[in-house]
Amino acid sequence: MPELPEVETVKNGLISHIINKKISSIKINIDKLRYAIDKDKFSEIVNLKVREIQRRGKHLIIFLNDDLQLIVHLGMSGVIKIESKKNYSFKKHDHILIEFEEEILIYNDTRRFGYWLINNNKAPLNHKVLVNHGVEPLTEDFNSEYLARKLKNSSKKIKQAIMDNSTVVGVGNIYASEALFKSNILPTRISKTLSKKEITKLVHAIKEILKIAIEQGGTTLKDYKNTEGKPGYFSQKLNVYGRAKQPCYICKSEIKSEVIGQRNTYFCTKCQK
DNA sequence: ACTTATTCCTGCGTGC
DNA sequence: TGCACGCAGGAATAAG
C-alpha cells in the first residue's frame, strides 16, 4: 500500500517523466473514486502543461498552468504508471488515463479509496484535504519539542496519536507499530505519560524508519517503471508488523497483537514498556 | 470540543 | 472445488 515513502517514490518517478509535458487528452472511466470525479473540471486541464510536482503527507500535488493543480491521494491500492502510449492496453481498474505526447499516465485503483481533485486556488495547501495536516516527519519541524507539545494533554493511546495526521503526516499503521517497537514504547501507552526521553526516542525512530523505507522505495520505482511494483518490498525490514505469535527478533518472546482504534497493532511486551 | 465508530471497496485467506 | 464470510487499509464523516 502506498505510504509516505512510496508516494515520495511515485513523485520522483513522475517528475522524471511528465514535467513540462503537455496534456493532450484525458479519459475517465469511472464516476466516483473516494469522491465523485468532476469530469467537466477535468476537461479544463487538457492542453495544460505540468509545471511542478510536490508531496504533502500522502498526497501528490501536480501543479499545472493557469493556477490549476491536481491533488491526488492513492488511498490504499492506487497505482500510478507511466507507459508509452503505443504499449498501453486497458486493464481492470484503470480509472483515469492522462495522455501526453508520447506517454500515458495510468491511474489504477482496485479498491477505489484514492481520489483525484482539481484545485484552482493559488494556495493548494489550504485545500480542505490538506489544511489540517501536521508537520512533515522528515523535516526539522518534527522534533521532540513539537511532539511533546502535541502529546502534553492527550489521553489518546500513543499509537493513535502518531497516526493522527494533525500530529504528524505519513505515519501509517505499519510504521506506527514499527516505530514504537524501535523506541521500546508500548502502543497502548497514554500519550501524556511519555517521558521527554521516550518522546525523543520515538521522534528519531519515526524518522529513521521512514528514511529506510524511502530507500527501499527506490526499488519500487524500478518495478513501477517496468511492469507492476512488487508489494511488500519493505516487509523484510519489519520487526513486529504482521508477526503475531512469532518470536521477537531481539528477545525471542512472542509478538502480541491487539486491535487499537480499529487497527491491528503488533508489539513485544518484553522489549516495549 | 473531544473521542470513538462507521463507511467506502475489492481481493485474498480461511473454514465449511 | 466452490461458496460464504471476514478482514485489510486511510481518513472523512457520523455518532457518541
Side-chain angles (χ1 to χ4, degrees), chain A residues 14-22 50-53 63:
Chain A
L14 286 177
I15 285 174
S16 64
H17 282 278
I18 65 170
I19 289 288
N20 289 326
K21 298 285 163 62
K22 190 167 91 173
V50 176
R51 287 305 183 195
E52 188 185 350
I53 305 175
F63 290 81

Side-chain angles (χ1 to χ4, degrees), chain A residues 112-255:
Chain A
R112 318 212 296 261
F113 279 20
Y115 49 84
W116 285 64
L117 304 171
I118 292 187
N119 182 56
N120 52 15
N121 189 315
K122 288 180 182 176
L125 294 177
N126 289 333
H127 191 281
K128 66 169 185 175
V129 299
L130 297 171
V131 73
N132 291 323
H133 275 26
V135 299
E136 286 286 332
L138 296 175
T139 65
E140 290 178 6
D141 293 338
F142 184 57
N143 55 49
S144 54
E145 290 75 24
Y146 170 86
L147 189 59
R149 198 161 60 241
K150 282 282 185 182
L151 300 181
K152 194 169 62 180
N153 297 315
S154 174
S155 49
K156 274 185 193 166
K157 290 175 177 138
I158 184 60
K159 187 197 178 221
Q160 290 172 286
I162 59 173
M163 283 181 68
D164 185 336
N165 276 335
S166 67
T167 305
V168 57
V169 295
V171 182
N173 198 38
I174 294 171
Y175 296 127
S177 279
E178 292 298 315
L180 287 162
F181 174 78
K182 191 176 176 63
S183 47
N184 308 106
I185 299 165
L186 281 173
T188 47
R189 286 275 301 283
I190 300 302
S191 298
K192 61 188 171 192
T193 70
L194 266 67
S195 70
K196 188 75 198 275
K197 202 174 171 183
E198 287 174 320
I199 290 172
T200 302
K201 206 169 176 184
L202 179 55
V203 166
H204 286 119
I206 289 170
K207 286 177 187 283
E208 179 136 4
I209 281 170
L210 290 177
K211 270 184 211 161
I212 293 169
I214 286 175
E215 287 166 18
Q216 300 293 306
T219 309
T220 298
L221 178 59
K222 287 197 183 91
D223 293 333
Y224 130 83
K225 281 173 98 175
N226 294 342
T227 43
E228 46 197 0
K230 288 179 189 168
Y233 67 97
F234 187 68
S235 63
Q236 290 150 332
K237 304 272 182 184
L238 296 177
N239 281 300
V240 286
Y241 186 83
R243 299 196 61 245
K245 296 179 180 173
Q246 296 176 46
C248 172
Y249 292 132
I250 305 295
C251 74
K252 310 295 180 205
S253 65
E254 192 181 78
I255 299 294

